[in-house]
Amino acid sequence: MSTDIASIALPGGERIAKLGQGTWEMGERASRRADEIAALREGVALGMTLIDTAEMYGDGATEELVGEALQGLRDEVFLVSKVYPHNATHNASRRGVERACEASLARLGTDRIDLYLLHWRGGVPLEETVEGFEALVRAGKIRHWGVSNFDVDDMEELVALPGGAACAANQILYNVARRGPEFDLLPWSLARGMPVMAYSPVDHARLPKRSPLDDIAAGHGVSVWQVALAWVLRASGVCAIPKAARIEHVRENRAALDLKLGDADLAALDAYFKPPRSKRALEML
Ligand code: NAP
């Protein structure tokens, strides 16, 4: 299988892999650690070099696992982490962002994060977080910053702030069963050349037990998970970060990038997982 993988452009032109790897719930059980590390390393070898993590995951244990998994591979990877906007610790404040980033860098065993995201909107004014992010860029601790779980109104507010237009990406819940962003947020992002990073692209393994995914999968000789992932990956301006702790799932996910769904497949999915006809509030996991 080719490791030469499709890519999408950040607003500044730098390209990142269209298919990456999530890490939520990794690093939490010693018995699974070796498999999780092997899965992440296999994904990188297959070209899935976009790695997403967060300080919140496993209270830092996931970042430590990612750091271990990426030993010797750091320069091949585009590493994403997120600051946790928890009110008690003020991590999303001007100084809190810098403190949180230093702690993430130490756990990840690296000197820079390629894309640092605000995990969701908390109580801290956005301009403070943006100031903190911009200071981190100037210090070379992060290369780009962005947001997560921001709907169109949040994005409009963000890009109107001083420095806010430097936002490089928005990571949101988007999959065949959660199509709300197609109504407004995806077109908004596409028009600005800002990538959408689709999290939970196979709906956190909660896809319906019976749906047109079954027949489409049988027709292509693949799994329903691969069809669901290929469906997300068909969208322009969208990259996806499925989490797979099993190496066979990583390989299947990489193969899903090469799966082309036909018009009949897409129509069957539209009939069951209806596209939005009006605004739906952005969902979060
Ligand atoms: P997901 O990637 O949609 O689903 C993960 C689940 O699907 C795991 O149980 C995994 O199993 C299974 N799976 C993956 N590929 C499979 C395949 N080919 N066949 C069968 N099962 C497969 O859900 P997610 O972890 O919620 O989302 C992905 C990543 O997005 C997260 O890990 C995290 O990095 C990020 N995320 C961000 C936010 C946010 O607020 N910004 C929220 C949620 C998630 P195994 O692990 O056993 O292989």
Side-chain angles (χ1 to χ4, degrees):
M1 190 177 301
S2 168
T3 58
D4 188 14
I5 204 163
S7 63
I8 64 169
L10 297 177
E14 183 174 338
R15 301 196 73 86
I16 61 173
K18 188 163 170 76
L19 176 63
Q21 303 181 78
T23 61
W24 185 23
E25 296 171 332
M26 286 187 179
E28 294 182 1
R29 273 190 274 165
S31 60
R32 302 193 59 173
R33 192 173 188 87
D35 288 345
E36 291 166 349
I37 288 174
L40 284 171
R41 292 183 71 89
E42 174 72 358
V44 173
L46 294 174
M48 296 155 68
T49 52
L50 166 64
I51 307 289
D52 178 74
T53 190
E55 64 170 337
M56 190 190 86
Y57 300 162
D59 267 335
T62 307
E63 286 185 327
E64 285 173 0
L65 174 122
V66 169
E68 190 178 333
L70 297 184
Q71 274 175 24
L73 300 177
R74 176 63 188 92
D75 292 343
E76 294 176 36
V77 161
F78 187 91
L79 184 56
V80 183
S81 194
K82 311 184 203 80
V83 58
Y84 179 22
H86 189 263
N87 288 339
T89 52
H90 301 292
N91 281 13
S93 67
R94 168 74 178 75
R95 299 273 167 232
V97 171
E98 293 182 73
R99 211 172 42 235
C101 182
E102 288 292 352
S104 284
L105 289 169
R107 286 188 292 265
L108 289 161
T110 186
D111 60 352
R112 82 269 180 210
I113 291 169
D114 295 300
L115 176 64
Y116 197 37
L117 305 178
L118 175 62
H119 209 145
W120 62 84
R121 266 195 96 157
V124 172
L126 272 182
E127 46 267 54
E128 266 201 52
T129 312
V130 172
E131 277 176 32
F133 281 158
E134 287 291 322
L136 285 168
V137 171
R138 286 192 297 274
K141 308 274 182 186
I142 65 174
R143 296 181 52 248
H144 307 276
W145 63 265
V147 293
S148 178
N149 297 302
F150 271 43
D151 209 339
V152 172
D153 51 349
D154 299 311
M155 291 308 299
E156 296 277 15
E157 192 181 327
L158 175 67
V159 298
L161 292 174
C167 177
N170 185 12
Q171 185 181 112
I172 58 163
L173 177 60
Y174 178 55
N175 62 54
V176 71
R178 320 265 196 153
R179 298 184 61 170
E182 282 169 42
F183 184 74
D184 53 355
L185 186 52
L186 290 191
W188 188 97
S189 308
L190 202 57
R192 279 157 189 80
M194 189 185 295
V196 161
M197 197 174 285
Y199 74 69
S200 306
V202 295
D203 209 33
H204 204 68
R206 292 178 193 144
L207 292 169
K209 292 236 180 318
R210 281 185 214 296
S211 78
L213 290 167
D214 301 321
D215 283 347
I216 298 168
H220 287 276
V222 298
S223 73
V224 292
W225 312 96
Q226 289 175 293
V227 175
L229 186 54
W231 183 90
V232 173
L233 292 167
R234 94 216 175 285
S236 53
V238 174
C239 57
I241 45 166
K243 173 258 181 183
R246 282 164 231 258
I247 210 160
E248 61 273 23
H249 288 167
V250 172
R251 292 180 181 136
E252 287 174 19
N253 291 347
R254 172 61 189 85
L257 187 58
D258 299 328
L259 174 63
K260 295 285 169 271
L261 301 175
D263 291 345
D265 300 330
L266 296 174
L269 291 171
D270 280 350
Y272 187 87
F273 301 102
K274 302 231 182 311
R277 289 170 176 272
S278 58
K279 171 71 187 164
R280 294 182 197 163
L282 184 63
E283 296 177 84
M284 282 177 73
L285 267 202

